[in-house]
């Protein structure tokens, strides 16, 4: 498992779970192929859509502006300004891909204060419902239908 994680990090893939306290899976994804990351990336403020307690920070004094971090960031949260990297914290989802390859060790992950850490839904169903509400793509009736289908599916699975 560790070898898979090392290979994924080397390839610049984002390690993510089902975004719930009761995680059902762990995957490694990129922002061009993964539907979830692609959807999050299209949001003007991706950081508000994920439950990450971390944000990338940068020591401007040691940054050489090499641009490796720009290529690694799946959310396009890093730009070059005056020959130095700059982090858009509204876009940063705290993946750490900039940290692991910075040749000058200028990047680091900072844990957000507890009051600024987002709510982590209890289950994946709750996550999907919250995302549907946030994007205004789901009506109240479709949310109710999803909840009923979820309960029915669990009931049917339990009684098989």
């Amino acid at each position: 498992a560790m070898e898979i994680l090392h290979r994924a990090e080397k390839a610049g893939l984002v390690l993510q779970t089902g975004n719930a306290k009761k995680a059902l899976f762990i995957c490694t994804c990129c922002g061009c192929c993964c539907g979830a990351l692609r959807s999050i990336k299209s949001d003007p403020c991706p950081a508000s859509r994920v439950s990450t307690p971390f944000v990338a920070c940068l020591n401007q004094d040691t940054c050489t502006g090499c641009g490796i971090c720009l290529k690694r960031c799946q959310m396009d949260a890093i730009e070059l300004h005056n020959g130095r990297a700059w982090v858009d914290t509204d876009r940063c989802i705290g993946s750490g891909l900039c940290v692991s390859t910075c040749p000058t060790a200028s990047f680091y992950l900072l844990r957000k204060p507890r009051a600024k850490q987002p709510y982590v839904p209890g289950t994946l169903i709750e996550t999907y419902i919250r995302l549907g509400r946030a994007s205004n793509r789901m009506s109240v009736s479709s949310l109710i239908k999803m909840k009923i289908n979820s309960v029915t599916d669990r009931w049917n699975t339990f009684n098989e």
Side-chain angles (χ1 to χ4, degrees), residues 11-156:
L13 302 177
V14 176
L15 176 67
Q16 55 185 4
T17 65
N19 203 23
K21 289 178 184 175
K22 187 176 180 179
L24 297 176
F25 61 87
I26 297 175
C27 62
T28 54
C29 304
C30 67
C32 58
C33 299
C34 170
L37 278 182
R38 203 170 48 241
S39 172
I40 292 166
K41 186 176 183 174
S42 71
D43 191 289
C45 187
S48 69
R49 294 204 35 212
V50 296
S51 300
T52 178
F54 296 101
V55 66
C57 293
L58 173 69
N59 180 343
Q60 288 279 325
D61 296 332
T62 58
C63 175
T64 61
C66 69
I68 294 172
C69 52
L70 274 75
K71 296 173 189 162
R72 299 273 294 176
C73 182
Q74 297 289 339
M75 292 295 115
D76 299 329
I78 303 172
E79 299 174 9
L80 286 182
H81 291 276
N82 299 321
R84 303 281 162 100
W86 175 82
V87 180
D88 180 349
T89 56
D90 286 337
R91 296 204 59 82
C92 178
I93 62 170
S95 71
L97 292 172
C98 53
V99 175
S100 61
T101 56
C102 181
T104 60
S106 297
F107 277 95
Y108 58 96
L109 287 179
L110 180 68
R111 183 176 283 278
K112 298 173 186 175
R114 186 162 303 282
K116 296 221 177 197
Q117 290 182 22
Y119 170 76
V120 178
T123 66
L124 196 54
I125 294 296
E126 185 182 349
T127 297
Y128 291 147
I129 290 171
R130 290 174 61 83
L131 288 173
R133 284 183 186 156
S135 66
N136 292 322
R137 293 184 181 160
M138 297 183 85
S139 65
V140 173
S141 62
S142 65
L143 291 171
I144 292 169
K145 184 178 176 184
M146 180 192 292
K147 182 66 176 174
I148 291 169
N149 287 341
S150 172
V151 171
T152 303
D153 289 346
R154 276 185 271 143
W155 176 261
N156 291 338

